[in-house]
Amino acid sequence: MKFLKHIIALITIVFVVNAKAQTTNAKMNAFVNNLMSKMTLDEKIGQLNLPGSGDITTGQASNSDIGLKIREGKVGGLFNIKSVEKIKAVQKVAVEESRLKIPLIFGMDVIHGYQTEFPIPLALSCSWDMKLIEKTARIAAIEASADGICWTFSPMVDIARDPRWGRIAEGSGEDAYLGSQIAKAMVHGYQGDDLSKNNNIMACVKHYALYGAAEAGRDYNTTDMSRVRMYNEYLAPYKAAIDAGAGSIMSSFNEVDGIPATANKFLLTDVLRNQWKFKGFVVTDYTGINEMVAHGLGDLQNVSSLALKAGVDMDMVGEGFLTTLKKSLQEGKVTIDQINTACRLILEAKYKLGLFENPYKYCDEKRAATEIFTDANLKTAREVAAQTFVLLKNNNQLLPLKKSATVALVGPFANSKENMLGTWAVAADYTKPISLLAGLKNVAGNNATILYAKGANISNDKDFETRVSVFGKPLERDDRPADVLIKEALETASKADVIVAAMGEAAEMTGECSSRSDITLPQSQKDLLQALLKTGKPVVLVLFTGRPLAIKWESENIPAIINVWHGGTEAGNAVADVLYGDVNPSGKLSTTWPQNVGQVPLFYNHKNTGRPLGEGKWFEKFRSNYLDVSNDPQYAFGYGLSYTSFSYSDISLNKSTIKPNEKLDVKVIVTNTGNYDGAETVQLYTRQMIGSITRPVKELKGFEKIFLKKGESKEVHFIVTSEDLKFYNNDLKFVYEPGSFKVFVGGSSDNTKEKSFELIR
Ligand code: BGC
């Protein structure tokens, strides 16, 4: 009876929620219909236009008289304009001086925080902590919306398996399952439960699709892959963001199957609208339409009509829609229905954001003054950053450091502020981040001795440095000769108990248009590191990076290595918290780190091939391997050490065969066997042994981050059902196939326990 009551209550709630949604939709439709009935063709086309403001530059410069265009109803939104004051002024022009008074939508690249910067997205993904990631997006939304922004070009969910590609920094790594969980968490963080509140902002999932699979890791390069791979290994995170309710999506620069994504009907209509039922709007990437001229698809008029017909609604920066759609309509190249559909979707987004009700909804000076860069947000940034660091090596428990030790802090990142932030920190104040030098002093206290010498520049190649800093300030450089800098560092090191070498990549050595063909440490830094090692003093290598590096020599020779990415505003404090052991590191890699760049692309969920190597073997003739390097990664997906250690029991299963409607309960007991309390991410993988198509050797299907006090044990359960075993077959049908499977559980993709089970009909 009680059960029945619950069911009735639940049905009533669903009914009420649905009825409310229907009324809201009906109201929205009536409003938009009415508005559109008053709009001229030019005004409709105007809504599809998204110029950049010129306030913050994120692409090649473009010039236009925006004020005049807004008055004439030729602008639908503006992006990268910063501050309530400016946004208010521009909105005023739209709602007071344009004929129909349609408000503008204001977007920005709020990628890993607004002014309080969190670690870069690749780092965040290494926390494997969805609540924490959602919290970073929530804080970013609160700060951005307090400053006038209602739309962010995030999350970036492109799967990336090639660390040469600089934009690997902006995504969540190589795995579609982990990427999907993060996509969902970020959309919830930005959008909250609904968009009507003034501190929620609209998400824009990007870059749809396959942007991370650029050939040779060169940005904007061609992408080409089978549909089976696309569906099984790349599309899931975009879909997860759409399913989570993302209000918009950005088409990518690259081509897919020979057609740039921005004119790709298969992607934008067949998959996005028809299969995934996406109801929001599609915006191009920066001049994505114009670039199709260079792609070789025709002149601006032609490519603009192709984009509209394929399913693009809004044109970022290039004004192809604005300048050609009317002509294309007259010539029968596009239809009025296509223009109406795009216009309607943009107006609906504005309606959902509440901009028609109150165009200044996000322009509250009081919020701007009190909700941005707050102490509470900085505290969270510090806590979050520490969760993203990955301890790669720690021989003889060199870490954590004693606060009483005399530390020689050397390297180009030891006293750097701006490189802490990482790429795409467009709203941040570059003077605000905490350097590692300041962080060590803060955490170790007044009595600690921290000696500092720069020791090397980021690179000795000045031309390279110029290319890196093409958009920003030149890299911080010490113009004394390299050997003088090293000598000074050695003198400093001679007075210390331990050397902390802060090395890696400048923020802008990753991100957009920052691909590298050589992903090792630059030579200037390697020279310094080798000299430091020769002193015989213990060396801790603290790596600041935006991508996996190839650090074979370092891994073989340096006793302790921790990768701290670009950790955001509080990076220096957070790194110090971990180096001194106030926080125990728990990050796990979301990308494979190769031994050398020639192994790339290298990823854990590869296929077996017809000539696999035996486990732990290298080299065998006529097997799939290299003469000069083993197939092993330097560090595997899912890998990351702690100051403590964890042991895993054997796996126990509730049954060895399951039917499609049954649950497999996978149990392990994890024990903290070391001397510190700590967190461990327990990972679950499966393998389908025989399939109608070849299947990966391992696939992540679940994970749980647990906290264990020293000596403590916990049972961890994962439920696996036939739904989890589904994949896209050769007909692109999402199916499970009965047969033999393996399940693996462990603390890294290359260190697991395993057990077999059968899925039967
Ligand atoms: C990038 C996008 C970004 C856009 C707007 C483009 O160059 O590819 O990720 O959102 O600029 O700044």
Side-chain angles (χ1 to χ4, degrees), residues 58 79 109 153 167 206-207 250 253 285-286 316 512:
T58 56
F79 76 99
D109 289 285
F153 302 136
R167 302 199 78 170
K206 69 188 189 185
H207 308 80
M250 187 186 291
F253 290 128
D285 202 347
Y286 205 107
M316 189 191 286
E512 187 167 351

Side-chain angles (χ1 to χ4, degrees), residues 313-334:
D313 305 304
M314 197 174 220
D315 173 6
M316 189 191 286
V317 175
E319 305 205 328
F321 278 179
L322 190 75
T323 54
T324 70
L325 278 191
K326 194 172 183 180
K327 186 158 178 254
S328 290
L329 182 67
Q330 283 155 0
E331 292 171 4
K333 291 189 171 130
V334 298

Side-chain angles (χ1 to χ4, degrees), residues 656-692:
S656 55
T657 53
I658 55 162
K659 292 191 181 134
N661 57 355
E662 288 179 340
K663 289 179 178 154
L664 183 73
D665 184 345
V666 182
K667 182 182 96 179
V668 288
I669 297 166
V670 186
T671 306
N672 181 341
T673 50
N675 291 322
Y676 296 84
D677 300 344
E680 166 75 338
T681 297
V682 185
Q683 301 155 39
L684 173 100
Y685 300 86
T686 61
R687 176 175 180 181
Q688 181 178 347
M689 302 309 291
I690 295 165
S692 62

Side-chain angles (χ1 to χ4, degrees), residues 368-428:
T370 55
E371 295 186 20
I372 299 174
F373 211 69
T374 61
D375 288 348
N377 292 354
L378 292 171
K379 186 168 171 275
T380 305
R382 180 171 178 167
E383 283 162 11
V384 169
Q387 300 301 314
T388 67
F389 306 155
V390 184
L391 182 63
L392 297 173
K393 186 176 173 189
N394 193 19
N395 273 13
N396 305 322
Q397 301 265 319
L398 177 54
L399 286 174
L401 303 175
K402 290 196 183 65
K403 289 184 183 164
S404 56
T406 300
V407 173
L409 176 64
V410 292
F413 296 90
N415 195 20
S416 167
K417 288 183 174 200
E418 59 188 53
N419 284 308
M420 299 298 103
L421 292 179
T423 186
W424 286 109
V426 297

